[in-house]
Amino acid sequence: MSNPEQVLNKQSKINQDHWLDEVRVFAPATVANMICGFDILGFAVDKPGDEVYMQRVGNPGVRIRSIKGDDGRLPLDPDKNTVSACVMMLLAHLGLETEIGVEIELTKHMPIGSGLGSSSASTVAGLFAINTLLGNPLTKDELMPFCVEGERLACGHGHADNVAPALMGGITLIRGSQPLDIINLPVPDQLVAGIVFPQVDVPTRDARQLIKEKVSLKDAVVQWGNIAGLVSGLYRNDYELISRSMHDVLIEPTRAILIPEFYEMKRIAMDSGVLSFGISGSGPSVVAISKGFEAAQLAVDRIQEHLTANGIESLQFVSAVNAEGPKVLS
Amino acid sequence: MSNPEQVLNKQSKINQDHWLDEVRVFAPATVANMICGFDILGFAVDKPGDEVYMQRVGNPGVRIRSIKGDDGRLPLDPDKNTVSACVMMLLAHLGLETEIGVEIELTKHMPIGSGLGSSSASTVAGLFAINTLLGNPLTKDELMPFCVEGERLACGHGHADNVAPALMGGITLIRGSQPLDIINLPVPDQLVAGIVFPQVDVPTRDARQLIKEKVSLKDAVVQWGNIAGLVSGLYRNDYELISRSMHDVLIEPTRAILIPEFYEMKRIAMDSGVLSFGISGSGPSVVAISKGFEAAQLAVDRIQEHLTANGIESLQFVSAVNAEGPKVLS
């Protein structure tokens, strides 16, 4: 996988004849960790996701025209907004920052701070949109390091566990980070994610700080046995093995503390016949992973019912694993 | 995977008409950990290995007739010898301990205490031989828990990372230990192991004690990224990915201290074009893993030359991954 520095001489591939006037793209939400694979696994979902409309204008520079669905939480200042900052970064790398002008409309179809890779979806949508607008000078592999850098701008740390599945689609493995080595894993054809976002605030930073810096080797062995089992189950399309493997003995016990009703939600989900249940990313969203839609839908319906009875508002999303990543809508 | 307790009513499957008078079996040496997969991965090799000749006799009980190739280090007392103790354990479970008499000749074709699963090879050879002699009342899956129990008798701990590949053949993943969950992973067709055993003493117990009980989560993430990458590489037959993944950042740095010339051997191996190099099990044997025989052979020849120049005697074994596990020789 190339670093931003290695994406050289891309100018030569930039042909203004291929530039578009406008583009509308969708980039998917993502479930980082995939329950047992802390910081290395993640998958994209068909919904929710973010939408970016990008229009080329005569006046050079990058501007945010509007943001919808964010309850006024995201900045319109192009230097501070994730989407525009990423677009500017890529344009600077391509030597085009003074040549091109774009205006952006961002529509968030997903909650912010929910553990569903909200900033990654925006980052990927913005970068995918500008690359499409320029006639695709970069491949997805070449775009990836910019997505990681965008995540760093947005969150202060350049983890790829959300941007990798958001950009590549499907289930991704971050084999290594230095250098970045991302592997697309096979997606079992009936794998469905039922997501519930309890509307409580769990900042990623707090969730990260809770995690202990040292873990017992014994627990780590259990964890990597499960990770190896999950990867194997994905290649074999073996839902039983996937189910047996998707247990997190290291991170869940601490992060679950921040999520109200976590263990009751888990009990409800498992009773509904899903393969596994856990935290999406750093939470507070939780995810039930099932074979087929029925169990996932049942699980999230029952979980929402339970949360409502306990005075906690929530959103639900039930979706297949998204195979393609971002896509052009028009 | 069944526990010894779950292997019930096997008597009903025992048909004396199928009993053999004698059998000679081979069980393979094994490379536990497979460099990055501490306590969960392992593979069997075509050579070296152990040979057990077992003969049915009129006088009930289990006796050791002879042991060759052990330099007099192994006990002839049937209660203390691993092979006979395992055979007695299985016979007791089958309710046959007073009905049948067997005499055993054990030939060790591999060094003891070398990190090549010497006791596991004997355990598996003994149990596979008695099961064959009785007309195979147990499947390999049913035999596995007895192998783990045999390893506990031999070593004081019931790890399956050597007995699993020794019995099942190929590359095995111990997804979980409680209950035992063993997965056979695909074996890339050109995978070759070049093993060098430097003749220095590293008791498994010392090697285990060196390992820290706590590890940093950061290192653990690197390790399980590599484990997931290796498993993925095996399914894809992707030697590049296998090579990038086979790094051990957790165990090797401490265990390497006990192995003379470890880092120089590693440099020599990598310079010879192998995919990876590391410690076999708890050492002191080291293993170079390559695509095809040439690089592995070159690596072990050069390593032996280097050890000889430094006054260290050594043995070498170059072998493909053994796909079948134990086999009947006659």
Side-chain angles (χ1 to χ4, degrees):
Chain A
M1 188 121 328
S2 48
N3 293 317
E5 294 70 27
Q6 293 170 317
V7 183
L8 298 169
N9 287 322
K10 277 293 163 180
Q11 287 87 335
S12 62
K13 279 174 77 179
I14 293 171
N15 184 340
Q16 293 203 16
D17 295 344
H18 296 152
W19 288 11
L20 306 178
D21 292 327
E22 56 173 5
V23 68
R24 183 182 302 276
V25 308
F26 166 88
T30 43
V31 175
N33 301 344
M34 205 170 177
I35 299 182
C36 60
F38 178 70
D39 270 3
I40 66 161
L41 295 177
F43 64 87
V45 287
D46 278 340
K47 58 184 179 181
D50 281 355
E51 213 176 300
V52 159
Y53 170 75
M54 194 176 282
Q55 190 174 29
R56 205 142 58 81
V57 294
N59 197 7
V62 179
R63 285 169 294 278
I64 300 283
R65 205 183 272 165
S66 67
I67 305 176
K68 287 177 196 152
D70 70 326
D71 295 327
R73 289 170 67 178
L74 298 178
L76 285 158
D77 178 344
D79 291 321
K80 291 179 181 159
N81 183 282
T82 301
V83 180
S84 44
C86 288
V87 171
M88 288 192 285
M89 172 180 63
L90 187 64
L91 289 176
H93 267 277
L94 296 172
L96 291 172
E97 71 273 38
T98 57
E99 282 183 51
I100 194 167
V102 293
E103 292 190 1
I104 293 164
E105 295 172 16
L106 168 64
T107 308
K108 302 245 13 133
H109 293 294
M110 59 188 290
I112 297 167
S114 56
L116 294 172
S118 171
S119 67
S120 294
S122 290
T123 297
V124 168
L127 286 166
F128 190 75
I130 186 66
N131 194 49
T132 305
L133 205 72
L134 297 175
N136 293 304
L138 303 194
T139 64
K140 275 191 177 183
D141 275 356
E142 290 168 338
L143 217 46
M144 181 59 76
F146 294 95
C147 294
V148 176
E149 195 51 37
E151 186 76 343
R152 193 188 313 276
L153 292 177
C155 306
H157 56 88
H159 278 279
D161 51 353
N162 285 108
V163 286
L167 180 65
M168 308 309 275
I171 303 170
T172 52
L173 160 66
I174 303 163
R175 203 278 308 157
S177 298
Q178 285 171 344
L180 196 58
D181 188 3
I182 292 168
I183 315 291
N184 259 86
L185 300 177
V187 180
D189 51 359
Q190 294 181 71
L191 211 63
V192 170
I195 293 168
V196 176
F197 167 48
Q199 293 184 283
V200 294
D201 233 15
V202 179
T204 304
R205 203 158 298 176
D206 291 5
R208 282 216 158 249
Q209 278 170 353
L210 258 191
I211 295 171
K212 298 184 184 91
E213 274 177 32
K214 292 262 181 185
V215 298
S216 87
L217 179 58
K218 209 177 145 197
D219 287 344
V221 169
V222 173
Q223 195 88 354
W224 64 56
N226 282 329
I227 289 169
L230 172 56
V231 172
S232 198
L234 296 175
Y235 277 94
R236 289 164 172 241
N237 212 47
D238 180 341
Y239 293 91
E240 286 292 319
L241 177 54
I242 291 168
S243 181
R244 294 201 303 281
S245 302
M246 289 183 101
H247 299 284
D248 173 6
V249 300
L250 282 183
I251 311 298
E252 182 177 294
T254 41
R255 279 196 173 158
I257 297 166
L258 294 175
I259 300 170
E261 302 295 319
F262 179 80
Y263 290 103
E264 187 56 19
M265 291 193 282
K266 187 170 192 167
R267 194 195 57 74
I268 292 168
M270 297 315 294
D271 283 353
S272 303
V274 303
L275 300 171
S276 179
F277 176 88
I279 303 168
S280 174
S282 53
S285 288
V286 290
V287 60
I289 294 173
S290 67
K291 182 182 179 184
F293 277 87
E294 201 176 331
Q297 188 62 58
L298 184 63
V300 300
D301 286 346
R302 285 178 175 172
I303 286 171
Q304 278 208 295
E305 207 173 291
H306 175 78
L307 290 176
T308 304
N310 283 272
I312 300 166
E313 285 187 59
S314 63
L315 299 173
Q316 66 151 274
F317 308 94
V318 178
S319 158
V321 174
N322 169 309
E324 59 179 330
K327 62 181 173 186
V328 175
L329 297 175
S330 62
Chain B
M1 190 118 331
S2 47
N3 292 318
E5 295 70 27
Q6 293 171 317
V7 182
L8 298 169
N9 287 322
K10 277 292 163 181
Q11 289 87 334
S12 61
K13 279 174 77 179
I14 292 171
N15 184 340
Q16 293 203 16
D17 296 344
H18 296 152
W19 288 10
L20 307 178
D21 292 328
E22 56 173 5
V23 68
R24 183 183 301 276
V25 308
F26 165 88
T30 43
V31 175
N33 303 342
M34 205 172 177
I35 299 181
C36 60
F38 178 69
D39 270 4
I40 66 161
L41 295 177
F43 65 87
V45 288
D46 279 338
K47 56 183 181 182
D50 280 355
E51 212 176 299
V52 159
Y53 170 75
M54 194 175 283
Q55 189 174 30
R56 204 142 58 81
V57 293
N59 195 10
V62 179
R63 284 169 295 278
I64 301 283
R65 205 183 273 165
S66 67
I67 305 176
K68 287 177 193 152
D70 70 328
D71 294 325
R73 291 170 67 178
L74 298 178
L76 285 158
D77 178 344
D79 291 320
K80 291 180 180 158
N81 182 283
T82 301
V83 179
S84 43
C86 288
V87 171
M88 289 191 283
M89 172 181 62
L90 186 65
L91 289 175
H93 267 275
L94 296 173
L96 292 172
E97 70 274 38
T98 57
E99 283 182 51
I100 195 168
V102 293
E103 294 190 0
I104 293 164
E105 296 173 13
L106 168 64
T107 307
K108 304 252 356 144
H109 293 295
M110 59 188 289
I112 298 167
S114 56
L116 294 172
S118 172
S119 67
S120 294
S122 290
T123 297
V124 168
L127 286 165
F128 190 75
I130 185 66
N131 194 50
T132 306
L133 206 70
L134 297 174
N136 293 305
L138 304 193
T139 64
K140 275 191 177 183
D141 275 356
E142 290 168 339
L143 217 47
M144 181 59 75
F146 294 95
C147 294
V148 175
E149 195 51 36
E151 185 76 345
R152 194 188 312 277
L153 293 177
C155 306
H157 57 87
H159 278 278
D161 51 353
N162 285 110
V163 286
L167 180 65
M168 308 309 274
I171 302 170
T172 52
L173 160 66
I174 302 163
R175 203 277 308 156
S177 297
Q178 283 170 347
L180 197 58
D181 188 4
I182 291 167
I183 315 292
N184 259 86
L185 300 178
V187 180
D189 51 359
Q190 294 182 70
L191 212 62
V192 170
I195 294 167
V196 175
F197 167 47
Q199 293 184 284
V200 294
D201 233 15
V202 179
T204 304
R205 203 159 298 175
D206 291 4
R208 282 215 158 250
Q209 279 169 353
L210 258 190
I211 295 171
K212 299 184 184 92
E213 275 177 31
K214 293 262 180 185
V215 297
S216 87
L217 178 59
K218 208 177 146 196
D219 287 343
V221 169
V222 173
Q223 195 88 354
W224 64 56
N226 282 329
I227 289 168
L230 173 56
V231 172
S232 198
L234 296 175
Y235 277 94
R236 290 164 172 242
N237 212 46
D238 180 340
Y239 293 92
E240 287 291 318
L241 177 54
I242 291 168
S243 180
R244 294 202 302 280
S245 302
M246 290 183 99
H247 298 284
D248 173 6
V249 301
L250 283 182
I251 312 299
E252 181 177 294
T254 41
R255 280 197 172 158
I257 298 165
L258 295 175
I259 301 170
E261 301 296 318
F262 179 80
Y263 291 103
E264 186 57 17
M265 291 193 283
K266 187 169 192 169
R267 193 195 58 74
I268 292 168
M270 297 315 294
D271 283 353
S272 303
V274 302
L275 301 172
S276 180
F277 177 88
I279 303 169
S280 175
S282 54
S285 288
V286 290
V287 61
I289 294 173
S290 67
K291 182 181 179 185
F293 277 88
E294 201 176 330
Q297 188 61 59
L298 184 63
V300 300
D301 286 345
R302 285 178 175 172
I303 287 171
Q304 279 207 295
E305 207 174 292
H306 175 77
L307 291 176
T308 304
N310 284 272
I312 301 166
E313 285 186 59
S314 63
L315 300 174
Q316 65 152 273
F317 308 94
V318 178
S319 158
V321 174
N322 169 308
E324 61 179 330
K327 62 180 173 186
V328 176
L329 296 175
S330 63

